[in-house]
Amino acid sequence: QLQLQESGPGLVKPSETLSLTCIVSGGSISSSTYYWAWLRQPPGKELEWVGSIYYNGNTYYNPSLKSRVTISADTSRNQFSLRLSSVPAADTAVYFCARLISGGWFFDYWGQGTLVTVSS
Amino acid sequence: DIQMTQSPSSLSASVGDRVTITCRASQSISNYLIWYQQKPGKAPKLLIYAASSLQSGVPSRFSGSGSGTDFTLTISSLQPEDFATYCCQQSYNTPYTFGQGTKLEIK
């Protein structure tokens, strides 16, 4: 059974960099069938796709965040990471990692989510 | 970006009721429409993809229909565990975008 688990600080100061890691177990992120994604959900708001990474390292970002986002993968550790720079309070959200199905472009497995609060 | 609008925003219903939730896209998205169920403090759960394909393990009381810009999610006979928030997602192009959600509450 595939499992994803987010980890990282729950509190980040404004203007600093938010860093999260998603550890994947029960399956390989090196598979060509899937992409791996980050999404977020601010309190009381809809989900937002942040970006995705493919096994070959190709990345795809939401244009609204593109200048501040970096997604990378470590295949040796079977994990992928998110860095979001220069965060304002509006980046406060529950951040999810998920598996994205190639072709259908839907998210079939999700991590439990982790709340990141941006505050001084 | 493609805007996804759901209606209603909230809905009260009873166990055994048939309910329908609507999702409208701001432009045609063919059948690139996905439905998720989300419970408080939990990750979304995939219910339906490609507008009408039921994800493995999801009860058959859930069904989806539509194409182009208008889509519906129907629950044929509500069960206690179905009270949750439902949201749609378009996967026609990036950035993938989601509806604001429909909260299904017990009457």
Side-chain angles (χ1 to χ4, degrees), chain B residues 9 12 47 57 66 82 87:
Chain B
S9 297
S12 295
L47 298 176
D82 299 338
C87 70

Side-chain angles (χ1 to χ4, degrees), chain B residues 65-85:
Chain B
S65 65
S67 66
T69 60
D70 294 316
F71 302 86
T72 59
L73 171 70
T74 299
I75 309 173
S76 60
S77 178
L78 275 173
Q79 299 302 300
E81 60 269 28
D82 299 338
F83 292 94
T85 297

Side-chain angles (χ1 to χ4, degrees), chain B residues 52-67:
Chain B
S52 60
S53 296
L54 197 65
Q55 172 69 352
S56 176
V58 174
S60 59
R61 63 181 179 272
F62 290 92
S63 64
S65 65
S67 66

Side-chain angles (χ1 to χ4, degrees), chain A residues 8-107:
Chain A
L11 181 64
V12 179
K13 290 183 169 56
S15 79
E16 295 191 343
T17 296
L18 179 160
S19 296
L20 296 173
T21 296
C22 182
I23 299 170
V24 179
S25 57
S28 173
I29 68 168
S30 299
S31 168
S32 61
T33 308
Y34 310 111
Y35 290 63
W36 304 90
W38 287 98
L39 303 98
R40 68 182 186 177
Q41 187 169 36
K45 295 188 177 181
E46 66 263 28
L47 286 157
E48 179 181 31
W49 172 70
V50 175
S52 304
I53 189 166
Y54 195 39
Y55 81 104
N56 61 4
N58 286 352
T59 52
Y60 309 85
Y61 299 136
N62 191 320
S64 68
L65 300 169
K66 189 173 183 177
S67 63
R68 301 193 290 123
V69 173
T70 304
I71 296 176
S72 59
D74 183 341
T75 55
S76 66
R77 296 186 177 186
N78 213 40
Q79 61 187 42
F80 61 104
S81 299
L82 168 70
R83 287 174 57 86
L84 184 62
S85 64
S86 304
V87 294
D91 284 340
T92 294
V94 175
Y95 285 77
F96 297 97
C97 58
R99 188 175 79 172
L100 176 62
I101 298 296
S102 175
W105 311 116
F106 53 87
F107 306 96

